[in-house]
Amino acid sequence: MELEGHRVELTGYCYRMLGSGFEAEDAVQETFVRAWRTYDPGRGPLRSWLFHLATNICLDMLRGPQRRARAMDLVPAAIPGADLGVPLPQDRWVYPVPDSRVDPADVAVAKETIRLAFVAALQHLPPRQRAVLILRDVLKWTAAETATLLSTTVTSINSTLQRARARLPLIGSPAGEVDEDLLTRYVSAFERYDVATLVSLLHEDATMSMPPFTWWLRGREHIRAVLLASDAPCAGSRLLPTRANGSPAFAQYLHGEPFALVVIEGDGLITGVTTYLDPGLFPFFDLPMSSAPPLRTNG
């Protein structure tokens, strides 16, 4: 039974359902375990059975009342000088995921559907509506296929999809790609803690957030004020490029040690910077645990 060939597509599905790359991988692993025990070719194609199992596992994991969110979904924007507040546990946040784990090269799935804003918006939907919307609108399953997977009728699926679309929060226009030259300038300014240049790369309504704190800022001028008043706490950082949620991202090292994962969103200028203060993400993104160059050996 060939399971690994389905891992990336299933992880992308479970990630959109659960809002956490860590939980998505756990769900896929449990899906594979159950598939080994239960799959019968007489039931139909393996792919359909895997999605059936993954859906049930995700629905079980989502039985609690609490949903994952971004800072801007939890509290109003802070003003410069406001305290960071108390950090929230990891299970309160929509967490990032490496592009490579959720974006199959042979499946035409829009990057917009793994953007942080879209995944956060999905968390507002009841789990079953969430599953139907992802299957129908993201993965392009037919109503009949979705009805079979969820053991219901086509009429019920169409009704559920209509309710899910109506309930899905507005998330604005699709984000574009951040220009490589802008990213190069951002890295240079960040590592030098050049506030003037950093701010010049931001859209006037840009946001900045730092999970696990609910504190966040909106607006270039508020971000400028905070950066100027913060006594350069990240001066001397080094950034290593990666990809997360269809967007450019950077591993931030401070004094050579892993410090944060920074996700950049934008279109022309930078519209959002989300800094996850969790070095535990580095192994998940296959990032080195030190910014020091490798030791040279002879021979």
Side-chain angles (χ1 to χ4, degrees):
M1 181 166 43
E2 177 52 50
L3 298 176
E4 283 300 321
H6 299 278
R7 181 179 292 277
V8 174
E9 186 183 21
L10 282 169
T11 302
Y13 173 60
C14 292
Y15 176 68
R16 294 174 180 93
M17 285 290 292
L18 300 170
S20 164
F22 294 129
E23 289 192 351
E25 291 218 324
D26 288 344
V28 171
Q29 199 57 40
E30 178 62 19
T31 297
F32 287 172
V33 170
R34 295 189 190 183
W36 272 108
R37 295 171 179 167
T38 64
Y39 178 60
D40 177 353
R43 294 178 184 270
L46 173 61
R47 178 173 179 262
S48 297
W49 184 243
L50 290 172
F51 270 89
H52 169 77
L53 293 173
T55 299
N56 288 337
I57 290 166
C58 288
L59 292 177
D60 286 342
M61 294 172 71
L62 290 167
R63 292 195 185 282
Q66 189 164 279
R67 65 177 175 85
R68 291 179 176 269
R70 299 182 303 161
M72 46 283 294
D73 301 319
L74 297 172
V75 297
I79 59 173
D83 187 80
L84 289 178
V86 178
L88 297 183
Q90 186 190 104
D91 62 7
R92 292 297 310 276
W93 301 102
V94 168
Y95 242 48
V97 69
D99 283 12
S100 59
R101 294 185 186 243
V102 297
D103 186 15
D106 60 341
V107 177
V109 177
K111 283 187 171 61
E112 289 304 317
T113 68
I114 58 168
R115 302 286 193 196
L116 289 171
F118 184 79
V119 176
L122 286 174
Q123 309 311 303
H124 288 267
L125 299 179
R128 194 171 179 86
Q129 287 186 19
R130 197 182 311 174
V132 169
L133 186 135
I134 295 168
L135 290 165
R136 293 283 285 112
D137 284 358
V138 176
L139 301 180
K140 306 303 181 185
W141 286 47
T142 67
E145 290 170 332
T146 306
T148 299
L149 184 145
L150 294 175
S151 302
T152 187
T153 65
V154 168
T155 300
S156 175
I157 289 298
N158 289 337
S159 176
T160 301
L161 179 61
Q162 186 176 18
R163 294 196 304 274
R165 286 171 175 169
R167 185 167 179 167
L168 191 70
L170 296 176
I171 56 174
S173 57
E177 282 293 323
V178 182
D179 181 78
E180 286 297 326
D181 178 64
L182 183 146
L183 289 174
T184 300
R185 292 158 60 200
Y186 175 85
V187 170
S188 175
F190 190 101
E191 294 184 343
R192 292 181 289 108
Y193 207 78
D194 178 349
V195 173
T197 300
L198 278 174
V199 172
S200 74
L201 304 177
L202 301 177
H203 188 277
E204 63 178 344
D205 292 325
T207 61
M208 182 172 73
S209 60
M210 295 194 309
F213 299 99
T214 57
W215 175 97
W216 67 285
L217 296 172
R218 181 184 296 281
R220 187 165 51 201
E221 293 310 311
H222 279 184
I223 294 173
R224 182 205 306 271
V226 167
L227 293 177
L228 288 174
S230 61
D231 197 28
C234 294
S237 291
R238 291 293 178 265
L239 299 182
L240 182 68
T242 184
R243 295 280 305 182
N245 293 81
S247 301
F250 296 95
Q252 180 186 350
Y253 298 86
L254 187 60
H255 309 304
E257 299 297 321
F259 181 71
L261 185 81
V262 184
V263 183
I264 305 293
E265 297 170 290
D267 188 2
L269 292 172
I270 293 171
T271 58
V273 179
T274 306
T275 301
Y276 289 90
L277 302 173
D278 184 357
L281 285 164
F282 281 54
F284 188 55
F285 278 76
D286 296 321
L287 293 163
M289 296 305 288
S290 170
S291 65
L295 295 175
R296 293 185 177 182
T297 59
N298 295 324

